[in-house]
Amino acid sequence: MRTIRRGRRLPMAAAGAAALALTLSACGGPGSAGAGDAPAADALENADGVTVVNFWHSMDGTNGETLNKLITDFNAANEGKIEVKGVYQGDYDTTITKYKAAVQSNSTPSMVQIYDIGTQFMIDSGAVMPTQTFIDRDEYDVSDLQPNIAGYYSINDELWSMPFNTSMPVMYYNKTLFEAAGLDPEKAPETLAEVGEAANKLSKTNGGPAEFGFNAAIYGWLLEQEIAANGALYCSPDNGRSGERVTDYSFNNDTAVEFVDWWKGLVETGVAGNTGRATADAQNAFKSGTIGITLESTGALGGMQKAAEEQGFELGVGFYPKIEQNDSGPIIGGASLWVSDEGHSDAEKEAAWQFMQYLAEPATQATWHTGTGYFPISKAALDEPEDVAWREQYPQFDVAVQQLEGTELTAATQGCSAGSMPQARKAAEDALEGALLGGDSKAELTESVEALKTEVENYNNSVQ
């Protein structure tokens, strides 16, 4: 495990908020958000020639190949009418940065894929047309959408974007190491206490078979998940889900402190490793077969399973661990699809909406699910023969299905909807890293929460 050194925590820059204000004001102010009317349903039929949809996305590798296949199939079915041109823009942060620049220069693409924590910015930008506008116009049936997935992208019961690639956090564990440590490989730990107990028995520092009983990336997303899984709020009021703008972060609450203290204790006793912030480093450590338990996204399932087969160990998957059993659960992650409004023809908006609907269809979602490992947004996709066969081959994924279906949709499990969420996640990682390197958990978390106050205030002032 590599050693990491904690750098000086930087104050939130007012310049960033000023740049954000320029971006938002370039859209005509917050009052323009969602103000556009839905295009006429016959806009495509009345268009001349082929309507082109420029689609910016962040899918590369296998995910990009699967998406390109779906685009090709859609274009073939709509030949002479619609042509979707998918353009890879880089990772999530790069894509939203490019979109912000495009808003300022009035050069937005027809449609864009934006990660979960960019949702509030997209709403505030005034540059997009809410998916709800099309849903209301067409009386589009949304009953097939997984409610916990659609719920994330909904504010005050209005669906702003179409969910697309969705992941959930789960616990991965090495069944082979469990058996060697005298633990039941068919019984996944369910609470933090149970994970800690298993990790202690697994770790070589206590005579166990694993290099480390537990290891996970210092990733702010994991803290968000633990807070939600115990029914607590990450920000207030109401995680920004009741129509009121977020005014404070609360990830220094008792749940967060207990989680960070738990993790810190495992590191201090040598039971847990510390591979730093890079998710790839934590994944590779687990894939090597030397780590007993880790926390990661369902999006990593395919890679984890392949590594287990290559390294000769059996992979186990369990629910994301909670402090104690309850009806709450973790938050979905991933990204959704947005239709740009101003500067685009009605035919273009309608064509983008048609492509969105295609991507949400059960058969399409089954292909997407089995080709990438992302959770299907369509409930019916799980009944598609292609999907049933895939889950028979990879039964570990059913854990994610059960976890999602067993999670009550609340403000806590919808997650925090704030324009400064990307900065908040980074601040939470600063706090988590500081605690794991010896700092006081409560003090580290509180310092990060306090440092965000100016960021929140500047953002909110920019959208008044």
Side-chain angles (χ1 to χ4, degrees), residues 12 49 73 77 219 346 445 456:
M12 298 298 173
D73 291 348
Y219 186 22
D346 283 356
L445 290 166
V456 173

Side-chain angles (χ1 to χ4, degrees), residues 151-221:
Y152 185 95
Y153 300 104
S154 299
I155 305 295
N156 210 19
D157 296 325
E158 182 173 10
L159 185 64
W160 275 85
S161 57
M162 181 64 80
F164 179 48
N165 56 305
T166 299
S167 58
M168 288 198 80
V170 291
M171 179 184 66
Y172 293 97
Y173 66 101
N174 187 316
K175 285 188 172 183
T176 304
L177 291 178
F178 262 55
E179 190 168 7
L183 297 166
D184 184 352
E186 303 306 321
K187 181 174 174 52
E190 296 181 350
T191 65
L192 293 184
E194 290 174 358
V195 173
E197 183 181 348
N200 271 282
K201 292 181 179 178
L202 287 160
S203 180
K204 74 173 184 180
T205 195
N206 293 324
E211 181 74 15
F212 291 102
F214 176 80
N215 182 70
I218 298 175
Y219 186 22
W221 189 59

Side-chain angles (χ1 to χ4, degrees), residues 303-318:
M304 295 292 200
Q305 182 62 43
K306 181 179 178 182
E309 293 169 357
E310 292 174 348
Q311 296 296 326
F313 68 88
E314 188 176 358
L315 179 68
V317 181

Side-chain angles (χ1 to χ4, degrees), residues 220-232:
W221 189 59
L222 299 179
L223 180 62
E224 294 161 34
Q225 301 301 335
E226 189 64 31
I227 290 172
N230 290 282

Side-chain angles (χ1 to χ4, degrees), residues 81-249:
K81 180 180 175 184
I82 304 173
E83 181 183 3
V84 175
K85 293 183 177 180
V87 184
Y88 175 70
Q89 295 295 325
D91 63 18
Y92 289 144
D93 285 322
T94 301
T95 299
I96 196 169
T97 298
K98 288 182 177 180
Y99 192 81
K100 289 175 181 178
V103 169
Q104 290 182 295
S105 61
N106 295 316
S107 58
T108 57
S110 317
M111 191 168 102
V112 63
Q113 177 196 33
I114 296 292
Y115 62 174
D116 49 1
I117 57 175
T119 298
Q120 189 61 51
F121 168 80
M122 293 297 287
I123 293 172
D124 291 334
S125 75
V128 296
M129 176 166 286
T131 301
Q132 193 69 46
T133 304
F134 294 99
I135 292 170
D136 292 344
R137 185 200 68 186
D138 295 346
E139 297 183 355
Y140 178 77
D141 185 5
V142 297
S143 62
D144 184 49
L145 296 180
Q146 289 280 0
N148 282 38
I149 297 176
Y152 185 95
Y153 300 104
S154 299
I155 305 295
N156 210 19
D157 296 325
E158 182 173 10
L159 185 64
W160 275 85
S161 57
M162 181 64 80
F164 179 48
N165 56 305
T166 299
S167 58
M168 288 198 80
V170 291
M171 179 184 66
Y172 293 97
Y173 66 101
N174 187 316
K175 285 188 172 183
T176 304
L177 291 178
F178 262 55
E179 190 168 7
L183 297 166
D184 184 352
E186 303 306 321
K187 181 174 174 52
E190 296 181 350
T191 65
L192 293 184
E194 290 174 358
V195 173
E197 183 181 348
N200 271 282
K201 292 181 179 178
L202 287 160
S203 180
K204 74 173 184 180
T205 195
N206 293 324
E211 181 74 15
F212 291 102
F214 176 80
N215 182 70
I218 298 175
Y219 186 22
W221 189 59
L222 299 179
L223 180 62
E224 294 161 34
Q225 301 301 335
E226 189 64 31
I227 290 172
N230 290 282
L233 298 177
Y234 192 86
C235 61
S236 61
D238 301 318
N239 263 356
R241 295 294 174 172
S242 61
E244 293 185 56
R245 195 170 294 283
V246 169
T247 55
D248 291 291
Y249 286 97

Side-chain angles (χ1 to χ4, degrees), residues 304-351:
M304 295 292 200
Q305 182 62 43
K306 181 179 178 182
E309 293 169 357
E310 292 174 348
Q311 296 296 326
F313 68 88
E314 188 176 358
L315 179 68
V317 181
F319 284 6
Y320 196 82
K322 305 175 182 181
I323 293 173
E324 58 184 27
Q325 290 301 328
N326 59 73
D327 292 331
S328 195
I331 314 162
I332 63 98
S336 64
L337 307 175
W338 299 79
V339 175
S340 295
D341 190 0
E342 189 174 353
H344 299 274
S345 69
D346 283 356
E348 201 176 335
K349 297 172 193 175
E350 183 63 24

